[in-house]
Amino acid sequence: MRSLFLALACLLASSTAWAKLQVVTTTTDLKWLAEQVGGDLVEVESLSSGGQDLHFVEPRPSMVMKVKRADVLVRIGLDLDMWADSLVSASRNKKVVYGAPGYVDASVGVERLQIPTDKVDAGMGDLHVFGNPHYWLDPSNASIIADNILEGLVRAEPAKEAAFKENYWKLLRALTEKLKEWEKKAAPLKGVKVVTYHNSWVYFAKRFGLELFGNIEPKPGLPPSPSHVNKLIAMMKEKGAGIIMAESYFPLKGARMVADKTGARLVVVPSSAGGLPGVRTYFDVFDQVLDALLDARGGKP
Amino acid sequence: MMNALLILSALLALPASAEDPSFTTGTMETAAPPQGMRGRPINLPDISVIGVMDGHLSDYKPDTAKDKFEFEEVETAFQGFIYPEVRADVFLALHKHGAKYEAELCEAKASFLRLSEGLAAEVGKIHVNFGKLNKMHTHHRPMIDQPPVLTNFLGEHGLVGQGGTASYLLPLPFYLQAEAGAWQGEGHEHEASGKTTVVDTAGNTVEVPIYQESAEFSLADKVFTGRLKASFAPTDKSELELGSSLAAGHGAHWEEHQDEAKVYGADLTFKLWPSSYERWAFQNEYFHLTRTVPAGRLQRDGLYSFLNYRWNKYWDTGARFDYAEGAFPTQSIERALSALVGYHFTETTRALVQYKYRRINGGTVNEGWLQLAFGLGPHSHELE
């Protein structure tokens, strides 16, 4: 009898899960934002973890099943998560193919930075033809991302539009509060000279007024070469860059060496929810990064 | 309220559609959602070139390809959609055959990505989905040479057919795909070494070509294939793939050998990602060949076991064990151990070094390769 109840409970739980709109995202930040907009009406899975380099996610068959079940796919776009294309093809899910109502490119409407204006080729490293794709690292872009997600959810489930909109506005109110808090907190960082490992913090720097003047990578995606590192060290000494930012997944040997030679502080930061222990949400990412930068600058977080 | 909204909009630089809580966006009223940037806004397929240069050292004296460094292959790919949910992929190759470069239609196929729920199909000239490595183009494989079990049982260029295949992703909580194909198999063409005259069963003297017994075996004529592949994710950072394959048809020189052949395959791959770039991959394939000829039935086995470790974004290393029996009546057994190191400049540009120690029919051979492969332009392969 007990087994029967258990089986019924499982059946009920699974049917409730399936009644929810199934959303799959390519990143954990998009997952968190989709959960905020979808609320209890959606079930969201991310194809990558927060500690992964999003240029380097290996598509695998188990991910195909997540995409196959999805009503909505939310992706970063701008050719960052191109690995998702092979998963969509393999899943044969008509609902989430490019152009279908369940396909959400979160970058639509974002003001893109560093759009190449000349010929692009592999000699320039892993350059993205549509501009720098790390736009979610400007938290004000979360409103645009959330808007794209909202539209996708409404297309997939028009009957629940009112509930989605209510969640969306709740998220925007929370975001407004957090933006005020982060702007205030980041005030001492204005004009601070920062070197980053990869060219991924331009949106963040623009939002909070940091001055970026170099990367540990000589060109996007390439490993640091001795000549580049030497040049960078000389520049950092000359210009007084005191902070090096590196995402938690990058190899830190080169960055540590530069830090040692220049006296700069190496700050290991998450670039997505789940990127470091304790960084569970998209908002946590900015809390953590700003605290770490303030700490490195010598001010209290 | 209006003031609050204005402040909110200014603070967040909200998109126009979200300025009013009761908004109805233009995009919501239309069927097509706004699309992000993807590819290039011109009506051209993705065009790419892959170049492969190989250097080969060997202490096997009869090996005519040894002690050379040369351009081995150039592959040009044209890829794109030809109709909604139908894409075409054409791979043209120029590769070295002996002293000459020969042009070959490596693959050319139309893929129907979504025929119905879970069902897809491909037609054209295709690398047949048999086991793990056969479908992969050589520049995409994590090793330079082809494991001898594939060469002995499927041919030097693997199992490539003209025909079609349909695959069905079963509606289960885990990945299980069934696939069946029918092909006009192409045994790689080899010229006969000469002609001789024989007396046929009716007592007539006829001229027949001479094919050396050492010529490679492959399936040809009407070939039927099947594959079942399952995959599970024991943890977030690991994947276990299991597969079984079958190919049945005539031998490539059926007119001479009158052979019916079946190749059975089983494969197991386990991958583990301890961190963002680190990856362990343990890949194994076992093939069993039955070849029925008028004089009797041959049964042959072969396998390889490959362990690969990528320790950072750029470097990986691996080791492979091979065991392969020959597909011919004369018994031959090859055992080999290989060690590899690779450096990956980009997704399509890499350098690989491989050393291989072979024991074949009692003799030993030491071989080494250096391969440089580069990619120009957007080049993609389906999920493997």
Side-chain angles (χ1 to χ4, degrees):
Chain A
M1 194 61 179
R2 199 175 155 208
S3 307
L4 186 65
F5 275 123
L6 269 173
L8 279 171
C10 287
L11 195 67
L12 196 64
S14 64
S15 66
T16 310
W18 285 107
K20 291 183 176 184
L21 202 61
Q22 300 296 307
V23 180
V24 69
T25 64
T26 54
T27 75
T28 50
D29 301 307
L30 295 177
K31 175 180 186 279
W32 187 82
L33 290 167
E35 282 170 345
Q36 305 313 301
V37 179
D40 294 339
L41 304 171
V42 300
E43 194 161 86
V44 192
E45 286 186 284
S46 170
L47 295 172
S48 66
S49 71
Q52 273 183 291
D53 180 348
L54 294 173
H55 304 78
F56 212 74
V57 175
E58 208 170 316
R60 30 188 176 130
S62 59
M63 294 177 182
V64 172
M65 300 313 290
K66 291 182 180 178
V67 179
K68 186 174 189 285
R69 286 191 290 267
D71 300 300
V72 175
L73 167 77
V74 187
R75 68 187 303 175
I76 291 288
L78 303 185
D79 284 354
L80 178 69
D81 44 12
M82 289 170 80
W83 43 268
D85 290 334
S86 64
L87 295 170
V88 173
S89 288
S91 75
R92 291 138 211 202
N93 183 350
K94 287 185 181 188
K95 289 184 273 187
V96 297
V97 295
Y98 183 71
Y103 180 94
V104 176
D105 185 325
S107 71
V108 173
V110 166
E111 187 193 338
R112 290 169 287 140
L113 301 177
Q114 297 181 331
I115 303 167
T117 52
D118 217 333
K119 180 176 158 56
V120 174
D121 61 33
M124 302 154 98
D126 186 15
L127 208 63
H128 293 265
V129 290
F130 300 115
N132 192 307
H134 302 270
Y135 60 86
W136 72 94
L137 289 170
D138 175 349
S140 72
N141 282 336
S143 64
I144 300 171
I145 299 170
D147 188 51
N148 287 321
I149 292 172
L150 170 66
E151 292 191 19
L153 296 183
V154 172
R155 282 194 301 269
E157 195 78 85
K160 294 172 181 166
E161 181 174 352
F164 292 142
K165 278 185 179 168
E166 194 183 324
N167 294 335
Y168 168 80
W169 283 101
K170 194 174 156 196
L171 170 66
L172 287 202
R173 281 191 292 275
L175 179 64
T176 307
E177 288 308 309
K178 288 302 282 186
L179 272 173
K180 280 186 211 161
E181 180 192 323
W182 291 325
E183 294 276 8
K184 198 173 160 191
K185 190 186 248 186
L189 295 172
K190 285 209 185 329
V192 168
K193 293 183 177 67
V194 174
V195 165
T196 59
Y197 191 97
H198 179 71
N199 188 26
S200 40
W201 294 92
V202 286
Y203 292 90
F204 179 88
K206 189 180 175 204
R207 167 60 46 187
F208 295 113
L210 274 70
E211 188 186 327
L212 300 180
F213 77 90
N215 304 120
I216 300 287
E217 290 178 340
K219 286 178 180 172
L222 304 189
S225 63
S227 63
H228 171 75
V229 167
N230 285 337
K231 254 188 249 171
L232 186 67
I233 289 170
M235 261 176 63
M236 287 176 72
K237 282 179 176 170
E238 186 192 325
K239 301 206 174 177
I243 297 177
I244 300 170
M245 287 171 80
E247 285 90 327
S248 49
Y249 46 78
F250 282 125
L252 298 175
K253 197 176 156 192
R256 277 206 186 97
M257 199 263 278
V258 175
D260 287 347
K261 298 225 168 177
T262 58
R265 284 280 299 274
L266 172 62
V267 179
V268 179
V269 287
S271 58
S272 282
L276 279 177
V279 181
R280 291 192 305 276
T281 72
Y282 176 71
F283 286 176
D284 288 348
V285 172
F286 301 99
D287 287 336
Q288 172 85 16
V289 174
L290 289 172
D291 283 352
L293 288 173
L294 285 166
D295 182 44
R297 193 184 166 273
K300 291 259 177 198
Chain B
M1 179 65 180
M2 186 54 79
N3 283 347
L5 283 176
L6 281 172
I7 293 165
L8 190 68
S9 302
L11 262 171
L12 299 176
L14 292 180
S17 61
E19 283 173 7
D20 181 352
S22 60
F23 70 91
T24 308
T25 65
T27 48
M28 276 192 203
E29 290 162 357
T30 59
Q35 303 300 305
M37 260 62 67
R38 210 176 71 144
R40 287 166 181 77
I42 42 176
N43 188 14
L44 279 177
D46 286 344
I47 300 169
S48 59
V49 177
I50 301 288
V52 180
M53 288 171 270
D54 274 354
H56 181 213
L57 293 170
S58 171
D59 61 7
Y60 182 56
K61 288 192 178 134
D63 185 349
T64 54
K66 68 173 185 161
D67 304 338
K68 285 178 182 165
F69 183 82
E70 51 196 8
F71 226 107
E72 184 64 27
E73 185 179 60
V74 177
E75 181 183 290
T76 312
F78 303 89
Q79 301 176 277
F81 278 84
I82 51 174
Y83 197 74
E85 298 174 17
V86 183
R87 58 175 291 135
D89 297 85
V90 176
F91 301 92
L92 302 170
L94 265 180
H95 57 205
K96 195 91 194 280
H97 248 206
K100 286 191 293 185
Y101 285 97
E102 291 179 355
E104 190 183 35
L105 183 60
C106 192
E107 264 195 302
K109 61 184 179 182
S111 305
F112 301 86
L113 300 178
R114 284 163 283 273
L115 285 176
S116 69
E117 182 64 35
L119 187 67
E122 291 181 346
V123 291
K125 184 178 180 187
I126 298 168
H127 282 217
V128 178
N129 197 5
F130 187 99
K132 287 291 289 181
L133 280 182
N134 187 67
K135 198 164 177 61
M136 293 173 91
H137 289 198
T138 49
H139 62 85
H140 206 225
R141 292 177 179 174
M143 53 195 72
I144 299 175
D145 70 328
Q146 175 165 272
V149 62
L150 271 84
T151 306
N152 291 4
F153 293 180
L154 301 178
E156 191 187 340
H157 293 262
L159 184 56
V160 182
Q162 299 260 16
T165 179
S167 59
Y168 182 60
L169 190 57
L170 277 79
L172 295 169
F174 60 94
Y175 182 97
L176 181 63
Q177 179 170 282
E179 183 170 347
W183 314 93
Q184 182 65 39
E186 293 190 338
H188 212 69
E189 291 301 322
H190 284 270
E191 289 181 10
S193 57
K195 288 193 173 178
T196 188
T197 52
V198 294
V199 179
D200 71 8
T201 49
N204 303 315
T205 301
V206 293
E207 198 173 54
V208 295
I210 302 167
Y211 290 96
Q212 290 179 1
E213 186 65 331
S214 61
E216 68 176 43
F217 169 79
S218 59
L219 290 167
D221 200 5
K222 289 184 181 61
V223 177
F224 298 95
T225 60
R227 176 157 171 80
L228 202 59
K229 179 182 166 186
S231 188
F232 312 90
T235 67
D236 282 351
K237 293 183 171 181
S238 61
E239 188 94 9
L240 175 67
E241 295 175 34
L242 301 165
S244 61
S245 310
L246 167 70
H250 290 158
H253 303 294
W254 191 80
E255 285 180 4
E256 291 74 42
H257 300 302
Q258 299 285 301
D259 54 339
E260 304 279 353
K262 284 190 180 123
V263 185
Y264 304 88
D267 54 271
L268 181 152
T269 304
F270 180 69
K271 290 182 181 172
L272 177 71
W273 292 266
S275 66
S276 187
Y277 301 120
E278 251 185 308
R279 186 196 65 192
W280 288 93
F282 185 46
Q283 184 170 309
N284 306 273
E285 289 195 66
Y286 163 75
F287 290 1
H288 177 76
L289 167 75
T290 62
R291 194 176 170 202
T292 308
V293 291
R297 193 175 191 209
L298 302 177
Q299 302 220 47
R300 297 287 185 262
D301 296 290
L303 60 86
Y304 74 84
S305 185
F306 179 59
L307 181 66
N308 179 255
Y309 174 55
R310 184 177 68 208
W311 70 83
N312 67 25
K313 193 174 171 182
Y314 309 102
W315 289 96
D316 72 339
T317 187
R320 196 183 78 211
F321 168 73
D322 291 299
Y323 172 88
E325 296 172 354
F328 296 100
T330 314
Q331 263 288 14
S332 90
I333 295 177
E334 176 173 351
R335 291 182 178 85
L337 279 172
S338 299
L340 296 108
V341 179
Y343 183 83
H344 303 261
F345 298 91
T346 67
E347 208 176 314
T348 50
T349 300
R350 71 178 187 187
L352 268 182
V353 177
Q354 181 174 347
Y355 165 74
K356 184 173 172 184
Y357 171 77
R358 292 165 69 194
R359 283 183 66 86
I360 181 160
N361 300 330
T364 63
V365 178
N366 291 283
E367 287 180 286
W369 290 267
L370 165 68
Q371 184 180 77
L372 299 172
F374 64 79
L376 280 172
H379 187 90
S380 61
H381 290 287
E382 62 207 79
L383 186 71
E384 281 150 350

